[in-house]
Amino acid sequence: MLIGLLILFLPSAIKIMLLRFLGYKIGNNCYLGLSLIQADMISIEDECYIGHGNLIWRLKKFHMGRGSRISSLNWISGAKNGTFELGANSSISMLHFFEASSNIFIRSNCIVAGRSSQFFTHGITPTNIDDRRSITIGDWCYIGSAVRMVPGTSLADHTFVGMGAVVTKNFSDNFVLIVGCPAVVKKKLSPNSSFFNRSYLPHAHHSPDYRG
Protein backbone atom coordinates (compact mmCIF):
# COMPACT_ATOMS: atom_id res chain seq x y z
CA MET A 1 0.00 0.00 0.00
CA LEU A 2 2.81 2.42 0.90
CA ILE A 3 4.56 1.76 -2.43
CA GLY A 4 1.30 2.25 -4.29
CA LEU A 5 0.71 5.60 -2.59
CA LEU A 6 4.28 6.76 -3.21
CA ILE A 7 4.08 6.18 -6.96
CA LEU A 8 0.40 7.13 -7.39
CA PHE A 9 1.04 10.61 -8.83
CA LEU A 10 4.07 9.77 -10.96
CA PRO A 11 3.83 9.90 -14.77
CA SER A 12 2.87 6.60 -16.37
CA ALA A 13 6.30 5.83 -17.84
CA ILE A 14 8.08 6.33 -14.50
CA LYS A 15 5.42 4.39 -12.63
CA ILE A 16 5.83 1.45 -15.01
CA MET A 17 9.61 1.58 -14.68
CA LEU A 18 9.40 1.46 -10.87
CA LEU A 19 6.87 -1.38 -10.85
CA ARG A 20 9.13 -3.40 -13.14
CA PHE A 21 12.08 -2.66 -10.85
CA LEU A 22 10.04 -4.02 -7.93
CA GLY A 23 9.52 -7.28 -9.80
CA TYR A 24 6.04 -6.80 -11.24
CA LYS A 25 5.34 -7.72 -14.86
CA ILE A 26 4.27 -4.75 -17.01
CA GLY A 27 4.16 -5.20 -20.79
CA ASN A 28 4.90 -2.81 -23.65
CA ASN A 29 2.71 0.10 -24.81
CA CYS A 30 0.82 0.27 -21.50
CA TYR A 31 -0.62 3.32 -19.73
CA LEU A 32 -1.17 3.55 -15.97
CA GLY A 33 -3.11 6.62 -14.86
CA LEU A 34 -3.55 8.16 -11.42
CA SER A 35 -4.81 4.95 -9.83
CA LEU A 36 -3.76 3.01 -6.75
CA ILE A 37 -2.65 -0.52 -7.71
CA GLN A 38 -1.65 -2.86 -4.88
CA ALA A 39 -1.41 -6.67 -5.04
CA ASP A 40 1.08 -9.36 -4.10
CA MET A 41 1.39 -10.28 -7.78
CA ILE A 42 0.79 -7.79 -10.61
CA SER A 43 0.86 -8.93 -14.22
CA ILE A 44 -0.15 -6.54 -17.00
CA GLU A 45 0.38 -7.65 -20.58
CA ASP A 46 1.09 -5.50 -23.67
CA GLU A 47 -1.25 -2.72 -24.84
CA CYS A 48 -3.18 -2.37 -21.55
CA TYR A 49 -4.75 0.79 -20.17
CA ILE A 50 -5.72 1.84 -16.64
CA GLY A 51 -7.33 5.27 -16.34
CA HIS A 52 -7.57 7.67 -13.40
CA GLY A 53 -9.21 7.27 -10.02
CA ASN A 54 -9.28 3.48 -9.78
CA LEU A 55 -8.72 1.76 -6.43
CA ILE A 56 -7.20 -1.68 -7.03
CA TRP A 57 -5.98 -3.08 -3.72
CA ARG A 58 -5.76 -5.91 -1.16
CA LEU A 59 -5.49 -8.53 -3.90
CA LYS A 60 -3.34 -11.64 -4.00
CA LYS A 61 -3.09 -11.43 -7.79
CA PHE A 62 -4.05 -8.78 -10.34
CA HIS A 63 -3.80 -9.68 -14.02
CA MET A 64 -4.76 -7.86 -17.22
CA GLY A 65 -4.60 -9.72 -20.52
CA ARG A 66 -3.22 -8.22 -23.72
CA GLY A 67 -5.12 -5.16 -24.98
CA SER A 68 -7.50 -4.93 -22.01
CA ARG A 69 -8.79 -1.70 -20.48
CA ILE A 70 -9.99 -0.36 -17.11
CA SER A 71 -11.35 3.16 -17.54
CA SER A 72 -11.92 5.38 -14.49
CA LEU A 73 -13.29 5.42 -10.94
CA ASN A 74 -13.66 1.67 -10.42
CA TRP A 75 -13.16 -0.12 -7.10
CA ILE A 76 -11.54 -3.57 -7.20
CA SER A 77 -10.91 -4.82 -3.68
CA GLY A 78 -10.02 -8.17 -2.14
CA ALA A 79 -9.19 -9.51 1.31
CA LYS A 80 -5.52 -10.19 0.52
CA ASN A 81 -6.32 -13.65 -0.86
CA GLY A 82 -8.47 -12.97 -3.92
CA THR A 83 -7.52 -12.86 -7.59
CA PHE A 84 -8.85 -10.46 -10.21
CA GLU A 85 -8.20 -11.38 -13.85
CA LEU A 86 -9.35 -9.38 -16.89
CA GLY A 87 -8.95 -11.24 -20.17
CA ALA A 88 -7.45 -10.07 -23.45
CA ASN A 89 -9.22 -7.08 -25.04
CA SER A 90 -11.86 -6.93 -22.31
CA SER A 91 -12.91 -3.58 -20.86
CA ILE A 92 -14.47 -2.09 -17.73
CA SER A 93 -16.06 1.33 -18.04
CA MET A 94 -16.70 3.57 -14.99
CA LEU A 95 -17.95 3.41 -11.40
CA HIS A 96 -18.18 -0.36 -11.00
CA PHE A 97 -17.45 -2.34 -7.80
CA PHE A 98 -15.68 -5.71 -7.68
CA GLU A 99 -15.41 -7.43 -4.29
CA ALA A 100 -12.74 -10.11 -4.80
CA SER A 101 -12.40 -11.84 -1.44
CA SER A 102 -12.51 -14.96 -3.62
CA ASN A 103 -11.66 -14.83 -7.35
CA ILE A 104 -13.17 -12.87 -10.22
CA PHE A 105 -12.35 -14.07 -13.73
CA ILE A 106 -13.53 -12.01 -16.71
CA ARG A 107 -12.43 -13.78 -19.88
CA SER A 108 -11.48 -12.32 -23.28
CA ASN A 109 -13.36 -9.71 -25.35
CA CYS A 110 -15.90 -8.80 -22.68
CA ILE A 111 -17.43 -5.42 -21.83
CA VAL A 112 -18.57 -4.33 -18.37
CA ALA A 113 -20.55 -1.38 -19.69
CA GLY A 114 -22.33 1.66 -18.26
CA ARG A 115 -21.86 2.10 -14.53
CA SER A 116 -22.81 0.88 -11.05
CA SER A 117 -22.55 -2.88 -11.55
CA GLN A 118 -21.53 -4.87 -8.46
CA PHE A 119 -19.75 -8.23 -8.26
CA PHE A 120 -19.57 -9.97 -4.86
CA THR A 121 -17.58 -13.12 -4.09
CA HIS A 122 -18.23 -12.94 -0.34
CA GLY A 123 -21.47 -12.95 1.60
CA ILE A 124 -23.49 -14.51 4.43
CA THR A 125 -26.16 -17.18 4.07
CA PRO A 126 -28.39 -18.73 6.78
CA THR A 127 -26.03 -21.74 6.87
CA ASN A 128 -22.66 -20.11 6.08
CA ILE A 129 -21.42 -16.93 7.73
CA ASP A 130 -18.32 -16.84 5.50
CA ASP A 131 -19.58 -17.70 2.02
CA ARG A 132 -16.68 -17.20 -0.44
CA ARG A 133 -17.15 -18.37 -4.02
CA SER A 134 -15.64 -17.23 -7.32
CA ILE A 135 -17.36 -15.40 -10.17
CA THR A 136 -16.53 -16.37 -13.76
CA ILE A 137 -17.59 -14.53 -16.91
CA GLY A 138 -16.91 -16.29 -20.22
CA ASP A 139 -15.55 -14.94 -23.50
CA TRP A 140 -17.45 -12.36 -25.55
CA CYS A 141 -19.89 -11.31 -22.82
CA TYR A 142 -21.59 -7.94 -22.41
CA ILE A 143 -22.68 -6.73 -18.96
CA GLY A 144 -25.15 -3.85 -18.94
CA SER A 145 -25.41 -1.07 -16.33
CA ALA A 146 -26.31 -1.77 -12.70
CA VAL A 147 -25.99 -5.56 -12.92
CA ARG A 148 -25.49 -7.55 -9.70
CA MET A 149 -23.62 -10.87 -9.51
CA VAL A 150 -23.63 -12.85 -6.26
CA PRO A 151 -20.98 -15.33 -4.99
CA GLY A 152 -20.54 -18.49 -7.04
CA THR A 153 -22.25 -17.31 -10.21
CA SER A 154 -20.99 -17.67 -13.76
CA LEU A 155 -21.84 -16.79 -17.36
CA ALA A 156 -21.07 -18.95 -20.37
CA ASP A 157 -19.43 -17.52 -23.49
CA HIS A 158 -21.40 -15.10 -25.70
CA THR A 159 -23.83 -13.91 -23.02
CA PHE A 160 -25.56 -10.52 -22.89
CA VAL A 161 -26.81 -9.37 -19.47
CA GLY A 162 -29.54 -6.73 -19.53
CA MET A 163 -29.45 -3.56 -17.46
CA GLY A 164 -30.34 -4.08 -13.79
CA ALA A 165 -30.26 -7.89 -13.89
CA VAL A 166 -29.45 -9.80 -10.70
CA VAL A 167 -27.47 -12.95 -11.48
CA THR A 168 -28.04 -15.59 -8.78
CA LYS A 169 -26.98 -18.85 -10.49
CA ASN A 170 -24.73 -20.36 -13.15
CA PHE A 171 -25.73 -19.95 -16.80
CA SER A 172 -24.29 -22.61 -19.09
CA ASP A 173 -25.95 -21.79 -22.43
CA ASN A 174 -24.03 -19.81 -25.06
CA PHE A 175 -25.47 -16.98 -27.17
CA VAL A 176 -28.24 -15.92 -24.79
CA LEU A 177 -29.72 -12.71 -23.39
CA ILE A 178 -30.45 -12.87 -19.66
CA VAL A 179 -32.57 -10.28 -17.85
CA GLY A 180 -34.54 -9.69 -14.66
CA CYS A 181 -34.41 -10.22 -10.91
CA PRO A 182 -33.50 -12.99 -10.54
CA ALA A 183 -31.99 -13.18 -14.03
CA VAL A 184 -33.42 -15.72 -16.48
CA VAL A 185 -32.77 -16.49 -20.13
CA LYS A 186 -34.93 -14.14 -22.19
CA LYS A 187 -33.97 -15.30 -25.68
CA LYS A 188 -31.34 -16.93 -27.83
CA LEU A 189 -28.89 -14.77 -29.78
CA SER A 190 -27.53 -15.41 -33.25
CA PRO A 191 -23.84 -16.39 -33.51
CA ASN A 192 -23.78 -14.15 -36.58
CA SER A 193 -24.66 -11.03 -34.57
CA SER A 194 -22.34 -8.07 -35.15
CA PHE A 195 -20.96 -8.07 -31.60
CA PHE A 196 -19.70 -11.65 -31.84
CA ASN A 197 -18.65 -11.65 -35.48
CA ARG A 198 -15.20 -10.08 -34.90
CA SER A 199 -11.72 -11.45 -34.35
CA TYR A 200 -11.19 -9.28 -31.24
CA LEU A 201 -12.71 -6.32 -29.38
CA PRO A 202 -10.93 -3.05 -30.36
CA HIS A 203 -10.38 -0.12 -27.99
CA ALA A 204 -9.33 3.51 -28.42
CA HIS A 205 -6.03 3.02 -26.58
CA HIS A 206 -4.75 0.29 -28.94
CA SER A 207 -1.81 1.28 -31.13
CA PRO A 208 -2.49 1.59 -34.89
CA ASP A 209 -0.79 -1.71 -35.71
CA TYR A 210 -2.54 -3.68 -32.97
CA ARG A 211 -4.33 -6.80 -34.27
CA GLY A 212 -5.56 -8.44 -31.10
Side-chain angles (χ1 to χ4, degrees):
M1 176 64 72
L2 179 60
I3 293 171
L5 289 171
L6 288 174
I7 68 174
L8 175 62
F9 296 102
L10 295 175
S12 176
I14 298 176
K15 188 180 301 183
I16 289 171
M17 180 181 66
L18 287 175
L19 287 172
R20 287 171 176 164
F21 176 78
L22 292 170
Y24 300 117
K25 178 185 175 183
I26 313 292
N28 298 318
N29 298 325
C30 291
Y31 176 84
L32 305 182
L34 302 180
S35 293
L36 177 61
I37 307 170
Q38 183 266 320
D40 292 342
M41 293 178 285
I42 298 174
S43 175
I44 300 174
E45 297 186 19
D46 296 344
E47 298 272 355
C48 289
Y49 176 97
I50 298 177
H52 301 314
N54 295 290
L55 177 60
I56 302 167
W57 73 316
R58 292 173 59 85
L59 295 169
K60 181 178 180 180
K61 179 181 179 181
F62 174 72
H63 175 75
M64 292 180 69
R66 176 177 167 85
S68 59
R69 178 184 182 94
I70 298 174
S71 293
S72 301
L73 302 174
N74 297 287
W75 186 334
I76 303 171
S77 177
K80 296 186 178 180
N81 60 354
T83 291
F84 182 88
E85 293 191 7
L86 185 65
N89 305 311
S90 288
S91 70
I92 296 169
S93 59
M94 298 176 62
L95 296 168
H96 299 296
F97 177 75
F98 301 85
E99 188 284 312
S101 293
S102 187
N103 305 316
I104 296 177
F105 303 109
I106 302 173
R107 304 302 187 195
S108 299
N109 298 297
C110 294
I111 299 177
V112 181
R115 58 184 63 193
S116 302
S117 289
Q118 299 177 15
F119 302 76
F120 287 91
T121 64
H122 177 259
I124 295 176
T125 72
T127 58
N128 186 354
I129 61 173
D130 189 21
D131 181 24
R132 296 171 187 257
R133 289 175 288 157
S134 297
I135 290 173
T136 301
I137 296 172
D139 298 327
W140 288 102
C141 290
Y142 180 94
I143 313 297
S145 288
V147 167
R148 308 290 188 265
M149 293 190 69
V150 305
T153 52
S154 65
L155 304 175
D157 299 344
H158 311 99
T159 298
F160 262 57
V161 184
M163 183 184 295
V166 179
V167 181
T168 61
K169 64 179 184 178
N170 297 321
F171 287 86
S172 59
D173 292 338
N174 297 328
F175 297 104
V176 293
L177 168 66
I178 66 173
V179 299
C181 178
V184 296
V185 175
K186 179 69 172 179
K187 67 177 182 179
K188 295 286 290 185
L189 302 174
S190 170
N192 297 319
S193 299
S194 298
F195 182 82
F196 307 123
N197 197 18
R198 295 179 283 182
S199 59
Y200 72 96
L201 191 66
H203 297 296
H205 74 274
H206 289 161
S207 57
D209 60 347
Y210 183 77
R211 295 297 181 268

